[in-house]
């Protein structure tokens, strides 16, 4: 069970956001049981906002019932496939719009992110965090608030996967090369190129996930 510590003051302050962040960063993983009293102690608040937050997360299918308890949901094969289809479409659109609307400053930030993240290729956990920042920056550079909202929902569901595809040996360097190509297309204001480059990036990530799942099934036999 994760060690109970109070949330840093600099983090989110409402129960929903704090629990969501804890799932997103892997403090709570798929299959972990969330206990109302323990969450209240962890975050230093009463049980009422915790209870309301858990109900909200359940309606969003991020938590599921196991008897009378709530556990962090996990994705089966079909759900994962469906999620990647939607993610590929939305991420591709975000890259297309970023190539059209991103400011010069936003593009420079994307380039600096790629250059800095190259040093993390052998550190899957750090690279996974950097990867989220990179994709979020593209979402924001699309300058479409409704698209950003939908991508936020998709990325919340991505947290329901037990492992990162970046943990596969060699995937970090390949992903960074793909990020570099995406930024090159955005820098060139090539909308089709940016769209295709990001879709291909998501497709390769999905294939990596499928191989991870196949290896896990083999280990279970």
């Amino acid at each position: 069970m994760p060690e109970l510590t109070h949330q840093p003051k600099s983090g989110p302050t409402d129960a929903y956001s704090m629990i969501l962040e804890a799932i997103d960063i892997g403090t709570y993983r798929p299959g972990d049981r969330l206990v109302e009293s323990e969450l209240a102690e962890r975050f230093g608040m009463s049980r009422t906002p915790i209870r309301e937050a858990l109900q909200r997360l359940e309606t969003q299918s991020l938590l599921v019932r196991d008897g009378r308890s709530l556990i962090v949901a996990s994705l089966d094969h079909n759900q994962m496939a469906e999620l990647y289809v939607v993610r590929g479409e939305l991420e591709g659109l975000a890259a297309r719009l970023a190539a059209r609307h991103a400011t010069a400053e936003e593009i420079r930030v994307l380039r600096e992110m790629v250059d800095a993240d190259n040093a993390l290729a052998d550190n899957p956990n750090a690279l996974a965090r950097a990867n989220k920042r990179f994709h979020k920056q593209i979402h924001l550079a699309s300058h479409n608030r409704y698209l950003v909202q939908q991508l936020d929902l998709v990325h919340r569901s991505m947290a329901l996967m037990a492992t990162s595809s970046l943990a596969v040996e060699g995937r970090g360097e390949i992903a960074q090369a793909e990020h570099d190509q995406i930024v090159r297309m955005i820098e060139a204001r090539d909308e089709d190129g940016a769209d295709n480059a990001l879709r291909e990036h998501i497709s390769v990530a999905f294939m990596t996930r499928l191989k991870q799942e196949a290896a896990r099934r083999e280990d279970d036999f």
Side-chain angles (χ1 to χ4, degrees):
M1 181 175 295
E3 181 181 353
L4 297 181
T5 56
H6 290 293
Q7 184 75 11
K9 296 298 183 182
S10 59
T13 57
D14 65 285
Y16 171 80
S17 297
M18 287 192 289
I19 297 172
L20 188 62
E21 181 181 66
I23 295 172
D24 188 50
I25 65 176
T27 302
Y28 295 109
R29 307 295 297 170
D32 285 350
R33 194 176 308 277
L34 298 188
V35 180
E36 195 177 290
S37 59
E38 293 175 356
L39 290 169
E41 181 182 353
R42 176 186 181 86
F43 298 125
M45 59 178 58
S46 70
R47 294 174 64 166
T48 298
I50 295 293
R51 185 180 306 116
E52 294 172 350
L54 293 177
Q55 291 172 348
R56 181 178 175 187
L57 289 164
E58 183 182 7
T59 63
Q60 295 175 340
S61 299
L62 295 175
L63 302 179
V64 294
R65 288 280 170 186
D66 180 21
R68 298 183 61 183
S69 301
L70 283 170
I71 62 173
V72 180
S74 58
L75 301 179
D76 62 25
H77 174 83
N78 289 336
Q79 290 171 315
M80 181 176 67
E82 291 164 3
L83 181 61
Y84 268 98
V85 168
V86 173
R87 186 184 177 195
E89 294 291 330
L90 295 181
E91 293 270 13
L93 176 58
R96 174 180 293 277
L97 294 179
R100 185 186 307 171
H101 298 302
T103 65
E105 292 81 3
E106 287 172 323
I107 294 174
R108 282 200 295 271
V109 167
L110 284 169
R111 170 53 59 196
E112 290 173 2
M113 282 182 169
V114 172
D115 292 343
D117 295 346
N118 284 334
L120 305 175
D122 295 326
N123 187 337
N125 290 334
L127 190 59
R129 293 191 293 271
N131 181 66
K132 291 176 183 178
R133 291 193 297 270
F134 175 78
H135 281 273
K136 181 66 174 184
Q137 187 63 33
I138 292 177
H139 304 167
L140 295 173
S142 74
H143 291 269
N144 187 303
R145 72 192 69 182
Y146 301 105
L147 178 58
V148 172
Q149 289 172 359
Q150 294 306 310
L151 281 163
D152 282 347
L153 291 174
V154 168
H155 278 261
R156 288 177 192 174
S157 296
M158 294 294 295
L160 302 181
M161 297 182 188
T163 58
S164 168
S165 63
L166 294 168
V168 173
E169 184 176 358
R171 176 57 188 154
E173 291 184 4
I174 295 172
Q176 280 302 107
E178 292 165 354
H179 284 187
D180 178 75
Q181 179 64 12
I182 293 165
V183 176
R184 286 178 184 273
M185 294 297 100
I186 294 175
E187 289 170 332
R189 301 293 184 179
D190 183 342
E191 296 180 25
D192 288 341
D195 188 328
N196 291 334
L198 215 158
R199 286 173 184 265
E200 178 63 19
H201 174 56
I202 300 302
S203 177
V204 174
F206 181 34
M207 287 189 291
T208 303
R209 290 277 188 188
L210 292 175
K211 292 176 183 177
Q212 283 179 305
E213 290 299 311
R216 188 176 296 112
R217 288 193 299 269
E218 184 177 345
D219 291 340
D220 288 341
F221 284 111

